[in-house]
Amino acid sequence: MPQIEVKLKDRAYPVIIGGGQIKHLAAFLKKHAPDSRVFVFYDARFYALHRPTVKRALKLPRARLFELALPPGEKTKSLTHAKKIYDILLGEKITRSDFILACGGGVICDLVGYVAATLLRGIPWATVPTTLLAMVDAAIGGKTGVNHGRGKNLIGAFWQPKFVLCDPRFLNTLPPRQMVCGLGEIVKYAGLTGYKILPQLKKYLEKSDFYNERMLTRMIESNVAYKAGLVAEDERDEGKRRFLNFGHTFAHAIENAAGYGRLLHGEAVILGVATAVEAGILRKPESERYFKEYSALINDMMNLAPRRRLELDKIMTAMAWDKKRNTQRARFVLLSRLGKPFITDDLDKNIVKKALSKMLSKYQTGGGQYA
Ligand code: GLY
């Protein structure tokens, strides 16, 4: 069975990847929850389409199985929903010998993982990520949490799952815009890893078949292998794991400036990565030659994001500037060349402005395929 290990000593776990691999769910549960009750939380959209497949794969008697579907969307990632789940699980007299399973995208993985991390000081859990974004990023590495009125992911915990099972066959029913969101994270990984993921992504996009299982499986494997390595080295996000923020400082400001929900996170990440590459080149113009192929690919990918009115000044305002130093308080991840990320908190405001305006000139002449 194809799997990649997240090597965290006593908390090491496998990420199983492959079309049809859901059939192994019962075997993994048997290992980690031999006699326990299993509390399964689904994204409601996924539940409507795939519950019979998951239920068959669980192979659990009724007395040991509890299932609940949660509303899709970012609003579900809240303390309100966490409390609802606490109430239900405590009502069922859950114990630390029971097991929690999250089947959904980033929202469900983060929320259910957070409940698992905090209830009774930690209940074992696992995830079946069901979106491309969750398979390549959100479900790997044990970051769990909910949003707060003051910002996203402000409440959370590191709580590693016992296993992650990615079955790309579930992606067949994922809407194209959600696929694009996953591709936003994949193009980020392409920049971070250099010539490993870039050719895979290029070939996949040339084929113009978003749902090609073989190609998706390979890309998911490459992304997970890279992320698993970073997490094993820096579980708590104090060093190299921060490379995964490549493009994100810009993406958050772009998302914000577009207006709530007008651009999805992964779509904004494509524009954020494009801006980060431009900023790296403006900082060191001689590095431009390293980015020809990558920049061309990103420019093409910007066409996959819906066209939205984006104003430079609004994006600049959405970034938290340190007025005294005229630099960004948040750290930027840039590339000195493909596959060579570095972190800086010293990026000149003029470079940021120029990089954004270069990105916008390309986005506004393209953009709009899945509006
Ligand atoms: N999504 C970034 C991380 O897991 O660190």
Side-chain angles (χ1 to χ4, degrees), residues 32-309:
H32 294 286
D35 307 306
S36 336
R37 284 180 299 164
V38 180
F39 293 85
V40 188
F41 293 92
Y42 299 89
D43 168 288
R45 220 179 282 143
F46 177 81
Y47 180 90
L49 294 165
H50 298 290
R51 186 222 178 194
T53 310
V54 176
K55 190 151 184 289
R56 249 192 326 274
L58 286 163
K59 290 192 186 140
L60 285 170
R62 199 187 285 185
R64 285 183 50 211
L65 178 62
F66 177 97
E67 292 168 289
L68 186 74
L70 298 163
E74 194 68 29
K75 283 199 178 130
T76 300
K77 215 175 112 172
S78 64
L79 277 176
T80 312
H81 273 90
K83 183 180 178 305
K84 279 185 192 160
I85 303 175
Y86 292 142
D87 291 348
I88 291 168
L89 293 178
L90 291 171
E92 292 291 326
K93 299 196 174 17
I94 191 168
T95 73
R96 275 195 251 166
S97 318
D98 290 322
F99 198 86
I100 290 177
L101 184 68
C103 299
V107 166
I108 300 299
C109 292
D110 284 6
L111 167 73
V112 174
Y114 180 67
V115 167
T118 47
L119 196 61
L120 307 182
R121 298 201 179 88
I123 291 174
W125 77 299
T127 77
V128 174
T130 61
T131 63
L132 185 57
L133 190 146
M135 289 185 198
V136 297
D137 198 52
I140 319 294
K143 271 191 187 173
T144 71
V146 293
N147 300 328
H148 184 272
R150 285 184 182 264
K152 281 167 88 168
N153 298 322
L154 292 182
I155 301 164
F158 291 95
W159 186 237
Q160 300 295 343
K162 296 293 179 197
F163 63 88
V164 178
L165 202 161
C166 302
D167 190 331
R169 222 160 269 175
F170 288 135
L171 299 178
N172 285 334
T173 51
L174 201 69
R177 267 191 85 179
Q178 292 293 335
M179 291 299 282
V180 172
C181 282
L183 295 177
E185 295 293 345
I186 295 176
V187 79
K188 170 190 90 176
Y189 281 100
L192 294 172
T193 54
Y195 290 96
K196 171 91 184 141
I197 294 171
L198 182 59
Q200 290 178 332
L201 180 57
K202 220 172 142 183
K203 263 198 205 142
Y204 163 86
L205 290 170
E206 275 161 15
K207 199 153 168 74
S208 301
D209 170 13
F210 265 6
Y211 299 95
N212 186 299
E213 186 180 305
R214 188 178 51 83
M215 290 180 141
L216 283 169
T217 305
R218 290 218 184 115
M219 284 199 295
I220 296 166
E221 281 167 359
S222 305
N223 281 265
V224 170
Y226 177 72
K227 181 159 184 184
L230 288 186
V231 171
E233 236 183 280
D234 175 28
E235 181 186 10
R236 297 186 69 84
D237 208 9
E238 289 156 349
K240 279 190 174 172
R241 185 167 178 172
R242 292 190 179 164
F243 289 161
L244 298 174
N245 289 331
F246 175 47
H248 280 59
T249 307
F250 293 114
H252 290 141
I254 290 165
E255 242 178 308
N256 210 315
Y260 182 76
R262 306 247 320 136
L263 278 177
L264 303 177
H265 175 68
E267 293 166 343
V269 169
I270 300 175
L271 309 191
V273 165
T275 315
V277 172
E278 298 288 2
I281 295 172
L282 285 163
R283 211 170 181 251
K284 247 187 172 192
E286 65 275 20
S287 69
E288 186 169 12
R289 65 200 158 104
Y290 300 125
F291 295 108
K292 289 217 152 53
E293 200 183 356
Y294 189 47
S295 294
L297 184 82
I298 298 169
N299 291 344
D300 285 349
M301 286 185 68
M302 281 203 277
N303 286 323
L304 299 175
R307 196 191 300 254
R308 297 287 183 250
R309 193 179 155 79

Side-chain angles (χ1 to χ4, degrees), residues 299-324:
N299 291 344
D300 285 349
M301 286 185 68
M302 281 203 277
N303 286 323
L304 299 175
R307 196 191 300 254
R308 297 287 183 250
R309 193 179 155 79
L310 284 173
E311 287 166 30
L312 178 59
D313 289 348
K314 269 199 184 163
I315 306 174
M316 290 296 283
T317 311
M319 298 180 100
W321 294 100
D322 182 332
K323 291 198 180 68
K324 273 192 214 136

